[in-house]
Amino acid sequence: MIKKLMLLLMFGFIFLYALTATAPLADSFPETSIGETVIHRGYDETASKNLVAAILLDYRLFDSIFEAGILLISAAGVLYMSRSSGFSKPFPRAKEAAVPKDSDSILAVSRILYPFMLLFGFYIIVFGDLSPGGGFQGGVILATARLISVYIPEKASENTDPLNRLEKILFLCLLSLGLISLFTRGAPFTNFFSGSVDPEFRRLFLVLLNLLIGLKVSSGLTIIFIRFIKEGK
Amino acid sequence: MSYYPLFAILIPIIFAIVIYLMNNPKGNLLAFIAQAALLVAGIRYFPFYLPEGEYYLVLGAFGDKLNITLISNTLTYGYGLLSVVLWFSVILYSWPHQKQSSSYYFFLLFLQGVFMGIVHTHDFFNRFLFIEIATILSGILIIYKKDGPSLRAGIYYIVFNTAGILLFLIGLSMLYRLTGTLHMGRVQEALSDMDQDPTVILIFVLMCVSMGVKSAFFPVYNWLPRAHSVATSSISAVLSGIMVKSGVLGLYKIQQVFPMEAYKDFFIFLGMITALCGLFFGISQTNIKRLLAFSTISHIGFIVMGLSSLAVPTSEGVSGAMVHIVNHGFLKILLFLGAGSIVRNYKTYDLDRIRGVLHRMPIVGSVMIFGILSIMGTPMLLGYQGKALIGTMLRDQPLFYFGYHVINLGTIILFGRLLQIFIPRGSLTSLAVSIYERLALGILTAGIVFLNLYQLIFPNFGGLHFYGKPFSLGAWSFFLLYLVSAYFLIRLFPLTSSFFRKVRGFELSFQAANYMMVVFIFLMLLWSVPL
Amino acid sequence: MLQLSLILLMIGLGLYGLATSRHLIKSIIFLNVLEAAVILFFLRLFYLPEGTAPIITSLGGEAVDPLPQALMITTIVIGASVTALALMMSIKIYHQYGTLDWKILLEKEDNQ
C-alpha cells in the first residue's frame, strides 16, 4: 500500500513537472520545421499530393523500409516460436471449452465481404499518394480480408511457407527499389526519376512502393494471424 | 561522400534475408561470405578514413534538412571493422551447433546490420527505430533455445525494454515540437541557447532514462542478468559484449546534443552505483554466466562514469569510455564463449563444481586466463587503458576517486572468484572442444592481442587519445595493492554465509522493474530542481 | 491544457499498470495503453484548431504538420509487432508453466 502511495506521489510530481514543461509548447511553433518545409515544397519535390505519403515514401524512405523490416522480423519470430517442435507442452490448454461451430450467417457475410475488402485494400494502397491511405494501411486491410477468409471453408489454407517467402522477397525488392535512385540520381532512397520529369510519371515510383509495402505488410500480418489461429486449435 | 555506412548496414541484412530464403545448411555458409564482403567493403574505404574527419551521408536528394543523415568518422569505421571480427568469431563458434538452422543466422546477421545502423545514424527517430528493431531481435535470440527460463527472460526483456524506449519517443515528440528538426546536429544548434529550460530538461531526462533501460543502469538493471544468463552462450556473448553498448552509444549522442552541465555529477554517481551494484551481486553468484552478466553491469557503470565528463569537455573520460566500450566488448565475448565451452562440457553452471579447466581443456583454459587477467585491469593488458583514463578523470574528486578504487578492487575479487575453476582437482581427463570453437577463440584472442599492442604503441585513434601510463610505477603498485587486499577480503568473507545466499537469490520482479523506471525518472527530475 | 493533462494521465496510467499488474497479459495491455497515449501525445502537440489534412487538394486553411503522422504510422507498426511477439511468447509460457502470473513464474525460476 505504501509502495503504491509512493508511486502515486512520484507520478504527481512527474505530472506537474511535465505539465509545466509542455505548457510553453502550446502556443509557440518553431520558426522553420521539417513539416512546414514539406507543406511548401512537398508536391514539387516528390509528386505526392498526400504529404504524409511524401514523407513516408520519399523523404524518410529509409525509415519506412526498416519499419517494414520490423514486421518481417516479427513474422519470422512468431513463425519460429510457433513451430511445433522445441517447446515442451505440459499444459496444452486452459479448459476444454466446447468450441462453437461457426454460424451460417458469419459464413454468408464473410463470403459477401471478402471481395469488397480486397478491393478496398487495393484502392487504399494504389491511391495512397493522392488521398489518405498508403501501403501500411491498405496492407492491414488486405490482411484483415485474409483473416475473414478463415471463415470460408474452401478458402482456408494454413500453409504459411509461400507467404513467408513472398514477404522476404518483397522486402528485398523494396530495398532494391529504394536503391535504384543511387544509380539514376546519385542519391539513395528517393524517387528514381529526376525532379524535371512530369509528376504524373514520377507518381509511378510512389505507386510501386505502396504496392510493394502493402503486399509485404499484408503477407506479414497474415502469417502472424494464421499462426495465432493455429495455436488456438 | 562515403557510402561505407550504407554498405555496413545493408550487406548483413541482405545476406540475412538470402540465407533465410535459401533455408538449407549450405546456404548458411553465406554468413561467412557476408563477413568477407563487409571486410572487403571496409578495406576499400581504408584510405578514405585514414585522415580524421566527419562525413555525412544524406539518404535522399533534398539535403540534410529533410532527409535522414548517417554520420561516419574514423571511430565508426573502426566499430565497423571490429564488428566483422566479433561476428565472424561468434558465427564460427556456433557453427557446429547451429549449422542446420537458417533462422539463427538470419536473426544474428540482421542484428549486425541494425547495430551498424545504431552506430552510424545521426537522426533521432531513425535511432529510435533501430534500437527498437535491435530490442525485438535480441528478444527473439534470447528465446532461441526454446525452453522455459529463456521464454520468461525473453518476455521480461521485450516488454520492459519496449516500455523504456517509448519514453524516448515522448522526449522526441517534444524535441521536434521545440526545434522543428530531428537531425542531431541541427537540434544541437537550436538547443545551444536554451540550457536550463524545464522542457529541455524533461526531454533530456526521458531520453536518458530510456537509454538507461536499454543499457541496464542501476535501478533498471535486472533484465540483463536474467536474459544474458539463460540465452545460448554465443547469443549471450553478442548481447553482453555488443548490444548493451547500443544504449551507451545512444547516451553518448544525447549528451553531445544536450550539454547539461548540471548532470555531470549525477552521471558519475549513477555510474558508480551501477558498477558497485553489479559487483555486489556478481561476487555473490555461483552461476558462471550470471557472474559474467553482472560484471557487464559493472563495466557499463564504468563507461557511464567516463561519459559523464562530456558535459564539461575533458577528453580523458570520453576517450576512456569509448576505448573501454571496444575493449570490454572483445573481452566479454571471449569470456562468454569460453564459458559456453566449459558449460557444455561440464554440464553445469555451478562455479563450485567446475574444476581443472586448464588441465582438461588447455586451449580454452589458457585463453580464459588471458581474458580474465585483461579484464581485471592488469597494467599493459587490454582492460587497463580505459579504466586508467577514467581514473585520471576522477582524480580531483576524492570521494569519487575512492569509489573508483573500490570498483577496481571489486572487479578483481569478482574475477578472482572466476579463477577458482582452474584449480586442478577431481578428474583431469581431457575434454573435447571442437575445432570451430578453438578457431573462434583463437581469432578473438588474436584480435585482442592486436588491439592491445596497438593501444600500447599508438595511443590515439580517431581523435581519441588514450595513454593510461601502463608502464608507470603507480599503476603497478596500485594493482599489487588491489591483489593483496582482494586476497585477504576473499579469505575474510567466505561466500557460504547466509547473507550472500540471500543476495544471490535477490531478483526484482517485473512490476518492481517498472516501478524502478518511474523512480529513475523521478530522481533525475528531482536533481534538476534548484536547492 | 485539459486534453494535454488527460493524455499525460493516460501515460501515467500505462506506467502505473506496468508497475502494479501481476498478470502477463495485463502487462502487455498496459504496454499498449502506454503506446497509444504516446501516439496521442505526439499528435496532440501538433494539433491546430482550424487545421486541415496535409493533402495538397484540400489545402484550404493551415495544414497540420505531416511529419508526426508519418512517424506515428511507424510507431503503430512497431507496437503491433511487439504485441504479436509478446502474445506468442505468453502462449508458449502458458503451455510450459500453466500460469501467466509474474510472481508464480518467478517462484518457479527459484525452484529450478
Side-chain angles (χ1 to χ4, degrees):
Chain A
M1 201 59 223
I2 291 175
K3 236 170 120 183
K4 281 188 184 170
L5 215 63
M6 295 260 296
L7 188 63
L8 287 178
L9 276 177
M10 280 189 289
F11 270 136
F13 177 78
I14 296 172
F15 177 78
L16 287 178
Y17 199 106
L19 215 55
T20 49
T22 45
L25 290 180
D27 36 49
S28 67
F29 273 88
E31 284 158 22
T32 61
S33 72
I34 299 178
E36 205 189 321
T37 322
V38 169
I39 289 173
H40 288 308
R41 309 194 334 215
Y43 181 67
D44 298 333
E45 285 181 349
T46 66
S48 166
K49 288 190 174 160
N50 178 352
L51 296 172
V52 179
I55 291 178
L56 274 176
L57 301 180
D58 203 323
Y59 293 120
R60 299 182 75 87
L61 181 58
F62 190 63
D63 268 359
S64 304
I65 287 175
F66 277 94
E67 175 186 354
I70 281 198
L71 209 57
L72 174 135
I73 295 162
S74 170
V78 167
L79 206 59
Y80 173 74
M81 267 187 278
S82 71
R83 294 242 190 258
S84 51
S85 63
F87 297 107
S88 54
K89 282 190 186 176
F91 299 93
R93 190 179 268 275
K95 258 178 278 169
E96 283 300 329
V99 183
K101 198 179 161 293
D102 298 333
S103 78
D104 287 341
S105 54
I106 287 187
L107 186 75
V109 172
S110 313
R111 279 201 169 132
I112 296 170
L113 269 181
Y114 182 59
F116 287 106
M117 286 180 83
L118 281 185
L119 191 68
F120 182 53
F122 276 110
Y123 172 83
I124 291 280
I125 290 175
V126 175
F127 285 83
D129 60 323
L130 298 179
S131 56
F136 288 99
Q137 296 91 325
V140 175
I141 296 173
L142 284 185
T144 325
R146 179 64 186 76
L147 187 63
I148 223 170
S149 78
V150 167
Y151 291 113
I152 307 173
E154 57 264 36
K155 273 263 171 205
S157 142
E158 287 189 341
N159 189 6
T160 45
D161 281 349
L163 264 183
N164 193 21
R165 269 168 190 280
L166 178 73
E167 195 203 4
K168 306 308 183 257
I169 291 171
L170 284 176
F171 183 76
L172 283 183
C173 292
L174 199 58
L175 208 54
S176 31
L177 190 62
L179 284 172
I180 290 176
S181 65
L182 185 59
F183 304 104
T184 60
R185 294 177 71 182
F189 298 110
T190 182
N191 200 327
F192 48 71
F193 291 118
S194 75
S196 54
V197 180
D198 185 37
E200 287 301 314
F201 279 105
R202 283 193 280 154
R203 253 198 78 198
L204 185 69
F205 171 75
L206 304 172
V207 174
L208 264 179
L209 262 185
N210 262 335
L211 263 177
L212 281 181
I213 293 177
L215 288 176
K216 206 213 82 66
V217 168
S218 69
S219 44
L221 285 175
T222 309
I223 293 169
I224 295 176
F225 285 153
I226 293 180
R227 280 289 145 181
F228 270 99
I229 291 168
K230 259 190 138 170
E231 281 297 319
K233 278 185 180 158
Chain B
M1 210 193 300
S2 153
Y3 287 109
Y4 177 68
L6 214 51
F7 280 117
I9 296 170
L10 292 184
I11 288 175
I13 289 178
I14 291 173
F15 272 96
I17 294 172
V18 172
I19 287 173
Y20 194 80
L21 279 173
M22 287 176 73
N23 195 15
N24 65 42
K26 280 214 182 80
N28 293 348
L29 282 167
L30 282 176
F32 294 106
I33 297 175
Q35 301 307 317
L38 273 175
L39 192 65
V40 169
I43 291 169
R44 157 95 174 61
Y45 279 100
F46 182 69
F48 189 85
Y49 284 104
L50 210 51
E52 279 168 26
E54 309 242 299
Y55 305 97
Y56 296 93
L57 173 62
V58 179
L59 299 177
F62 309 109
D64 64 354
K65 184 163 191 283
L66 295 173
N67 292 132
I68 294 167
T69 311
L70 301 179
I71 188 173
S72 59
N73 51 34
T74 317
L75 203 62
T76 59
Y77 173 74
Y79 279 131
L81 282 192
L82 294 177
S83 85
V84 176
V85 179
L86 296 177
W87 254 273
F88 182 78
S89 47
V90 169
I91 291 170
L92 195 63
Y93 179 88
S94 54
W95 187 254
H97 322 292
Q98 307 284 0
K99 65 180 162 204
Q100 299 297 331
S101 61
S102 320
S103 45
Y104 175 82
Y105 293 103
F106 167 69
F107 293 128
L108 199 60
L109 283 181
F110 213 112
L111 192 62
Q112 185 180 17
V114 170
F115 179 69
M116 286 337 290
I118 293 172
V119 168
H120 285 113
T121 182
H122 202 52
D123 184 280
F124 272 104
F125 191 78
N126 199 232
R127 177 169 291 276
F128 161 77
L129 188 63
F130 274 128
I131 291 183
E132 186 55 42
I133 304 181
T135 306
I136 294 179
L137 276 170
S138 314
I140 297 173
L141 283 171
I142 288 168
I143 58 146
Y144 201 81
K145 270 198 316 202
K146 284 188 173 179
D147 62 357
S150 64
L151 263 175
R152 277 185 314 220
I155 196 157
Y156 190 114
Y157 173 83
I158 217 165
V159 176
F160 182 53
N161 274 270
T162 308
I165 206 74
L166 282 176
L167 297 178
F168 188 85
L169 201 60
I170 303 176
L172 187 147
S173 64
M174 287 192 273
L175 191 65
Y176 175 61
R177 184 68 169 71
L178 198 65
T179 61
T181 177
L182 294 169
H183 181 276
M184 286 183 169
R186 286 170 181 273
V187 170
Q188 190 174 2
E189 271 171 37
L191 287 182
S192 56
D193 56 338
M194 35 175 122
D195 188 14
Q196 293 302 319
D197 203 32
T199 319
V200 181
I201 290 176
L202 184 64
I203 297 169
F204 177 74
V205 166
L206 287 174
M207 287 190 165
C208 284
V209 170
S210 82
M211 288 302 130
V213 169
K214 196 64 199 133
S215 48
F217 291 172
F218 162 59
V220 286
Y221 65 93
N222 199 254
W223 60 266
L224 190 145
R226 232 177 246 274
H228 293 186
S229 60
V230 295
T232 320
S233 296
S234 44
I235 302 296
S236 305
V238 173
L239 296 183
S240 207
I242 304 167
M243 290 324 290
V244 171
K245 311 290 170 36
S246 65
V248 182
L249 289 171
L251 186 71
Y252 171 64
K253 284 272 186 184
I254 289 168
Q255 287 183 335
Q256 269 184 337
V257 173
F258 299 84
M260 287 281 174
E261 295 199 10
Y263 280 91
K264 181 178 192 286
D265 282 351
F266 181 85
F267 276 107
I268 298 182
F269 203 61
L270 181 73
M272 192 156 284
I273 293 188
T274 306
L276 288 174
C277 154
L279 290 172
F280 178 67
F281 288 111
I283 287 171
S284 54
Q285 296 301 321
T286 53
N287 178 330
I288 179 168
K289 282 180 78 174
R290 280 183 78 87
L291 186 135
L292 288 174
F294 274 111
S295 120
T296 299
I297 297 179
S298 81
H299 282 92
I300 290 290
F302 240 119
I303 294 166
V304 172
M305 275 157 71
L307 285 182
S308 69
S309 66
L310 196 72
V312 183
T314 48
S315 65
E316 278 160 349
V318 179
S319 296
M322 293 320 254
V323 165
H324 205 60
I325 285 177
V326 171
N327 294 353
H328 170 254
F330 266 85
L331 293 171
K332 195 42 71 68
I333 288 187
L334 180 77
L335 289 177
F336 257 116
L337 292 186
S341 294
I342 293 170
V343 167
R344 192 173 309 108
N345 276 309
Y346 282 78
K347 295 190 178 52
T348 175
Y349 289 102
D350 194 348
L351 270 179
D352 297 329
R353 286 166 54 199
I354 301 172
R355 283 291 178 271
V357 172
L358 194 58
H359 292 76
R360 301 183 72 179
M361 310 159 84
I363 291 180
V364 176
S366 45
V367 166
M368 284 281 278
I369 287 184
F370 176 63
I372 289 172
L373 286 180
S374 301
I375 208 168
M376 267 180 173
T378 315
M380 294 168 70
L381 289 184
L382 193 62
Y384 172 75
Q385 298 276 18
K387 289 187 185 189
L389 283 169
I390 293 167
T392 321
M393 177 195 97
L394 294 174
R395 193 170 281 164
D396 304 332
Q397 292 145 300
L399 179 69
F400 292 140
Y401 197 51
F402 176 72
Y404 164 80
H405 286 300
V406 173
I407 293 168
N408 272 343
L409 179 62
T411 311
I412 285 178
I413 296 177
L414 188 135
F415 283 102
R417 290 212 55 220
L418 197 54
L419 279 177
Q420 66 177 308
I421 62 174
F422 301 110
I423 300 168
R425 196 182 294 160
S427 144
L428 290 179
T429 49
S430 65
L431 291 164
V433 182
S434 78
I435 180 78
Y436 295 101
E437 294 179 15
R438 279 183 283 174
L439 212 57
L441 291 174
I443 289 172
L444 265 179
T445 316
I448 290 171
V449 170
F450 171 77
L451 272 180
N452 199 343
L453 290 179
Y454 183 93
Q455 291 180 6
L456 282 182
I457 300 168
F458 314 100
N460 51 57
F461 182 82
L464 302 179
H465 304 283
F466 39 91
Y467 186 62
K469 303 197 183 75
F471 306 104
S472 70
L473 193 65
W476 280 98
S477 47
F478 264 124
F479 184 67
L480 286 178
L481 197 67
Y482 295 148
L483 277 186
V484 172
S485 34
Y487 178 79
F488 282 110
L489 280 174
I490 291 179
R491 287 280 137 167
L492 270 177
F493 300 104
L495 287 167
T496 43
S497 67
S498 63
F499 172 71
F500 279 113
R501 212 171 300 133
K502 217 170 260 174
V503 170
R504 198 178 303 146
F506 178 78
E507 293 271 12
L508 280 178
S509 66
F510 179 77
Q511 300 94 292
N514 283 291
Y515 195 99
M516 285 301 166
M517 191 162 79
V518 179
V519 174
F520 196 6
I521 303 174
F522 176 71
L523 287 179
M524 275 195 85
L525 283 180
L526 207 60
W527 187 271
S528 76
V529 175
L531 293 171
Chain C
M1 203 62 179
L2 178 70
Q3 287 169 346
L4 210 57
S5 37
L6 279 178
I7 293 169
L8 285 177
L9 275 181
M10 196 168 153
I11 293 176
L13 181 71
L15 284 173
Y16 181 83
L18 279 171
T20 51
S21 60
R22 264 178 59 180
H23 197 273
L24 211 162
I25 301 289
K26 275 191 193 165
S27 296
I28 297 172
I29 290 173
F30 277 114
L31 184 70
N32 278 286
V33 170
L34 180 62
E35 199 207 324
V38 172
I39 292 170
L40 268 179
F41 179 72
F42 207 145
L43 295 179
R44 174 61 185 82
L45 278 184
F46 295 88
Y47 168 74
L48 291 177
E50 306 275 302
T52 55
I55 296 174
I56 291 288
T57 44
S58 71
L59 276 186
E62 205 179 349
V64 293
D65 196 327
L67 187 78
Q69 307 185 19
L71 300 187
M72 286 308 105
I73 292 179
T74 310
T75 314
I76 291 169
V77 173
I78 290 173
S81 312
V82 172
T83 312
L85 269 177
L87 286 177
M88 186 51 91
M89 282 184 193
S90 31
I91 291 176
K92 294 296 167 187
I93 287 179
Y94 190 82
H95 284 172
Q96 194 95 27
Y97 296 104
T99 177
L100 286 173
D101 190 324
W102 283 111
K103 205 172 175 187
I104 299 176
L105 283 176
L106 263 181
E107 276 164 13
K108 290 210 169 170
E109 193 164 42
D110 293 338
N111 291 340
Q112 272 181 355

